Amino acid sequence: MFRKVLRLGLCPGLPTRGLRTRTGGFTLDWDTKVSDFKKKIESILPGKQCEMVYDTSHLPPEQSDVVIIGGGILGLSVAFWLKKLESRRGAMQVLVVEQDHTYSRASSTGPSVGGIWQQFSVPENVQLSLFSINFLRNINEYLAVVDAPPVELRFNPSGCLLLASEKDAATLESNVRMQRQEGAKVCLMSPEQMQNKFPWMNAEGVALASYGLENEGWFDAWSLLQGLRRKVQSMGVFFCQGEVTRFITSSNQMETPTGEQVVLRRINNVHVKMDKSLEYQPVECAVVVNAAGAWSGQIAELAGIGKGLPGTLQGTKLPVEPRKRDQVWRHRWLQTSVECISDGKDWAATT
């Protein structure tokens, strides 16, 4: 009788979890939480009203050391390195909140073609890119998962070509000088040299060009995303599909070495609204990472950034907003690395 009751689920609509025997009978899967079965059994006892057991598996945890807003390549990379650098397994609880699990509107994943280059104007970005190319070339040393297929990025090495008019030629030359000092292999080209290498290009209005000789090209961003996601899940990172709608903060006043009184605000709680629902889950946390890509500016506003007094850090808006961009494939452009989308439906983080 007890097996029959368990097989029927004790209550209409309640799912059962178990293992079939050779004779077609039913045995209890003891990995199921005991508390769930206790609630089910109690619900059919005399005088007890049958109550549905509420499924909370889709909710994020009530507490997490780190909450990362954005589950794209950047957010997953942050989660990967946090877990990789933790002192012991499970020492740090990391939650990734992603609103769109299809990544159809993501700026660096989904329909986008991933590109990498070193031709930046800030030394730190050059250093990050040089580290990243080593990561990509040895991707399976970092993202290998037992019994899972290797990550195939289909990396296509090809230099990135930047063009400058007469007005911006000095700035481009200065940037290339800095890039070389950081270890990047970049060369400068005159309009004539550029046309000799790329005879199909129109050099009209071009005063100077820079071209990456090594460690630049494009790759399959979607494969990188899936490889990162699979790896961090194996490391114990929690995922949640939802939208961050509110921050709960606390304030402390302190005095700087110069005697100035400043107010420090700290995020203690993040409200995560569930997908296609009015419910939300408050998550107590110690650190929040804004990795929302093109929507980072909107997340910053939720935390009050840009809404303070003008001239203060709190009053300085994060200059990132989503804008559509249209890019075109040209067959001849396959000679150089160009990040492109044929339908113009990807989103870029524009500053």
Side-chain angles (χ1 to χ4, degrees):
M1 178 63 184
F2 183 66
R3 284 186 180 178
K4 183 177 181 181
V5 171
L6 290 176
R7 183 167 67 250
L8 294 175
L10 305 180
C11 237
L14 286 176
T16 59
R17 299 173 59 187
L19 301 174
R20 291 285 177 183
T21 63
R22 292 183 179 178
T23 59
F26 188 89
T27 60
L28 183 61
D29 178 3
W30 293 108
D31 290 334
T32 305
K33 294 182 180 179
V34 176
S35 60
D36 289 345
F37 280 97
K38 289 175 65 177
K39 291 178 181 179
K40 294 175 183 178
I41 295 172
E42 289 176 356
S43 68
I44 63 170
L45 293 178
K48 294 285 186 177
Q49 182 180 358
C50 181
E51 297 179 356
M52 297 293 292
V53 179
Y54 184 62
D55 180 17
T56 60
S57 60
H58 66 292
L59 296 177
E62 295 181 359
Q63 293 179 325
S64 182
D65 297 307
V66 180
V67 174
I68 300 174
I69 305 173
I73 288 177
L74 182 58
L76 294 178
S77 179
V78 172
F80 169 77
W81 288 107
L82 285 174
K83 297 298 287 185
K84 187 174 178 62
L85 298 174
E86 66 182 353
S87 58
R88 58 179 175 80
R89 175 82 177 191
M92 182 186 306
Q93 184 163 322
V94 179
L95 169 66
V96 176
V97 181
E98 171 57 47
Q99 185 175 358
D100 176 21
H101 277 200
T102 67
Y103 297 97
S104 60
R105 291 164 58 86
S107 58
S108 60
T109 50
S112 179
V113 175
I116 184 169
W117 51 85
Q118 285 84 49
Q119 299 179 64
F120 297 98
S121 59
V122 179
E124 290 79 6
N125 283 340
V126 179
Q127 296 165 12
L128 284 170
S129 187
L130 288 171
F131 175 86
S132 297
I133 191 65
N134 179 70
F135 181 89
L136 295 179
R137 290 188 184 280
N138 302 281
I139 191 69
N140 285 293
E141 292 183 15
Y142 292 99
L143 301 187
V145 175
V146 176
D147 295 331
V151 180
E152 295 289 346
L153 293 183
R154 294 184 285 276
F155 181 75
N156 190 331
S158 183
C160 181
L161 182 68
L162 299 186
L163 309 178
S165 63
E166 192 69 40
K167 179 173 69 74
D168 298 318
T171 300
L172 181 63
E173 186 175 4
S174 175
N175 288 344
V176 169
R177 188 181 308 113
M178 176 273 295
Q179 293 156 11
R180 289 172 175 172
Q181 291 173 350
E182 297 298 331
K185 306 297 183 182
V186 184
C187 72
L188 288 170
M189 290 182 178
S190 66
E192 294 75 22
Q193 291 172 321
M194 185 193 73
Q195 279 205 305
N196 287 335
K197 187 171 181 61
F198 307 108
W200 46 269
M201 291 190 69
N202 184 356
E204 182 179 354
V206 177
L208 193 63
S210 65
Y211 181 69
L213 300 175
E214 293 181 8
N215 298 328
E216 294 188 339
W218 66 87
F219 57 91
D220 187 347
W222 182 256
S223 293
L224 176 59
L225 173 80
Q226 296 303 316
L228 278 167
R229 186 179 175 97
R230 183 178 63 192
K231 180 62 176 181
V232 298
Q233 283 181 315
S234 73
M235 301 170 82
V237 172
F238 293 87
F239 281 85
C240 170
Q241 182 174 358
E243 178 186 3
V244 172
T245 58
R246 186 184 180 190
F247 295 116
I248 305 299
T249 62
S250 60
S251 300
N252 292 308
Q253 192 170 36
M254 66 169 291
E255 184 176 317
T256 65
T258 60
E260 181 184 2
Q261 295 292 326
V262 295
V263 176
L264 299 180
R265 297 180 61 193
R266 178 181 178 276
I267 297 175
N268 301 310
N269 205 290
V270 175
H271 284 192
V272 181
K273 179 179 174 293
M274 298 299 99
D275 184 47
K276 299 178 181 178
S277 173
L278 295 178
E279 66 179 335
Y280 71 89
Q281 171 72 45
V283 181
E284 185 180 350
C285 59
V287 176
V288 175
V289 178
N290 184 356
W295 289 266
S296 296
Q298 297 176 13
I299 296 298
E301 286 187 0
L302 284 179
I305 297 175
K307 294 185 176 181
L309 296 174
T312 66
L313 180 61
Q314 198 69 17
T316 303
K317 182 179 179 179
L318 184 65
V320 179
E321 62 183 26
R323 292 183 183 175
K324 275 195 174 183
R325 59 184 180 184
D326 296 312
Q327 296 173 315
V328 181
W329 269 112
R330 287 187 183 177
H331 178 67
R332 291 180 177 177
W333 284 13
L334 295 177
Q335 300 178 52
T336 56
S337 103
V338 180
E339 184 179 326
C340 16
I341 280 298
S342 59
D343 58 8
K345 290 183 179 179
D346 66 329
W347 289 80
T350 304
T351 60

